[in-house]
Amino acid sequence: MEPTSPTDIRIAEHVSRALSEQAPVVALESTVIAHGLPYPINLETSLACESVVRQHGATPATIGIIDGVPTIGLSEDEIKLFAARQAPDGRPIGKVGLNNLASVMARGAWGATTVASTLRLAHAAGIRVFSTGGIGGVHRGAAETFDISADLTALGNTPLICVCAGGKAILDLPKTVEYLEMLGVPLLGYCTDEFPAFYSRSSGRTVDARIETLDEAAGIAERHWRICSSTAVLVCAPVPAEFEIAPDEIEIAIDKAMITATRQGIRGKALTPFLLAELERLTGGKTLEANRALLVNNASVAARVAVSLSR
Ligand code: PSU
Ligand code: MN
């Protein structure tokens, strides 16, 4: 790997080659590896996402911060370190959003990037498609806590296609959808009329447009960017049906997890990882299976979008 740009980022050679050939590239985040899933399923899932992107003819670029350097295209050995949440010298690998990105870089630390920081870094590298599990959004109780994910900020000022299974079910999804509308981010439902609810395929909220093919996603994004050159386009792919958890079942678990979080005083950055881990426990691992399935599904959708966009 070699430094490629004046903006302090490092692009792995295979990624920079693909970009220079205008070949399809899909960015992937590292917070979901380090803080969203337990070891070792996080490692296996991350490598499965990379592999499904390659199977569809695109180049995966998992993004994370190594010794203060945002790295576009982690190697398998580097992904292993993120999965174990530990730098080679034993330093922990924390969660890095937009607020702490620059300080982590300045300190020369390692960091796992969220949707927000991955979007910004992918854009800086010239990548146009990004895949995640579920975006962050407006948290339940936000009227009191003001806890709204910087993922929404980044979606409002970064022109990438972001593939997701909707918003994480732990959020206030109706408010999240309103917020995305305010930002002017188009919500495209891939073979669905509804904004998906992560573990469940429906949320009761509609998307802006249903699409049946991923060429349509690329076509809409190109038109969107000609007029609104700074916002993301969200492609929403519901969790594969065989892994769906019924909305009422997951609601009961979320209510319990939220009560535990409040009781233990868990807030801010720690809330999302805590709730995801609690849900896994409360559903006997069902949320984990769903999470893995939707991540791999989204990576496959993103690869096909990237291929279409590069034509
Ligand atoms: N989606 C998942 N698992 C995750 C996340 C998303 O399936 O762990 C992570 C993403 O990195 C997202 C972050 O950006 O959670 C949002 O955290 P917060 O709500 O603190 O902004
Ligand atoms: Mn937050």
Side-chain angles (χ1 to χ4, degrees):
M1 269 186 227
E2 46 188 54
T4 51
S5 97
T7 53
D8 307 318
I9 67 174
R10 189 163 45 198
I11 305 182
E13 216 182 284
H14 64 287
V15 177
S16 79
R17 196 178 327 117
L19 287 170
S20 69
E21 289 166 359
Q22 309 210 355
V25 176
V26 173
L28 299 162
E29 56 148 321
S30 48
T31 287
V32 64
I33 310 174
H35 302 284
L37 299 168
Y39 187 86
I41 194 175
N42 57 354
L43 174 60
E44 186 274 327
T45 303
S46 164
L47 298 178
C49 286
E50 289 221 331
S51 137
V52 81
V53 167
R54 280 192 207 95
Q55 274 165 36
H56 286 93
T59 298
T62 300
I63 296 178
I65 302 166
I66 293 179
D67 288 327
V69 183
T71 302
I72 316 296
L74 299 177
S75 68
E76 190 167 327
D77 284 341
E78 289 162 347
I79 288 176
K80 282 183 184 151
L81 294 163
F82 279 81
R85 289 179 203 96
Q86 226 179 44
D89 60 5
R91 280 180 294 173
I93 301 182
K95 176 173 162 183
V96 178
L98 301 177
N99 59 320
N100 57 345
L101 175 60
S103 56
V104 166
M105 288 168 67
R107 258 188 289 136
W110 287 56
T113 52
T114 63
V115 168
S117 52
T118 308
L119 277 169
R120 294 306 309 169
L121 293 169
H123 179 55
I127 299 173
R128 294 195 294 168
V129 181
F130 164 66
S131 180
T132 182
I135 57 164
V138 181
H139 279 267
R140 298 178 186 205
E144 288 300 318
T145 61
F146 262 63
D147 190 351
I148 300 174
S149 176
D151 291 1
L152 294 179
T153 310
L155 289 165
N157 64 21
T158 318
L160 258 82
I161 292 180
C162 172
V163 179
C164 66
K168 270 170 293 182
I170 55 173
L171 300 170
D172 185 326
L173 288 181
K175 287 196 181 73
T176 301
V177 169
E178 289 296 339
Y179 205 112
L180 287 163
E181 181 179 330
M182 178 187 79
L183 292 170
V185 172
L187 306 186
L188 310 183
Y190 181 41
C191 302
T192 182
D193 294 306
E194 285 198 36
F195 185 68
F198 200 66
Y199 304 118
S200 317
R201 293 173 61 85
S202 53
S203 67
R205 297 288 144 160
T206 54
V207 290
D208 298 310
R210 176 188 176 119
I211 53 170
E212 304 295 338
T213 70
L214 295 169
D215 285 340
E216 285 174 78
I220 291 171
E222 272 163 351
R223 284 173 180 83
H224 177 77
W225 290 330
R226 259 180 248 145
I227 300 157
C228 308
S229 57
S230 59
T231 37
V233 172
L234 215 53
V235 172
C236 304
V239 59
E242 60 274 35
F243 293 98
E244 172 173 37
I245 305 175
D248 40 341
E249 183 183 347
I250 196 73
E251 271 311 308
I252 294 170
I254 291 171
D255 284 345
K256 284 189 187 153
M258 297 281 291
I259 290 169
T260 314
T262 310
R263 225 179 255 149
Q264 298 188 13
I266 311 245
R267 284 180 275 112
K269 267 163 77 95
L271 186 62
T272 296
F274 177 84
L275 291 175
L276 294 176
E278 271 298 288
L279 290 180
E280 181 201 333
R281 202 178 57 78
L282 291 165
T283 61
K286 267 167 90 172
T287 56
L288 194 56
E289 297 254 305
N291 207 341
R292 182 199 181 280
L294 66 85
L295 279 161
V296 176
N297 184 56
N298 292 348
S300 135
V301 168
R304 285 174 279 156
V305 172
V307 167
S308 175
L309 208 54
S310 72
R311 267 196 221 115

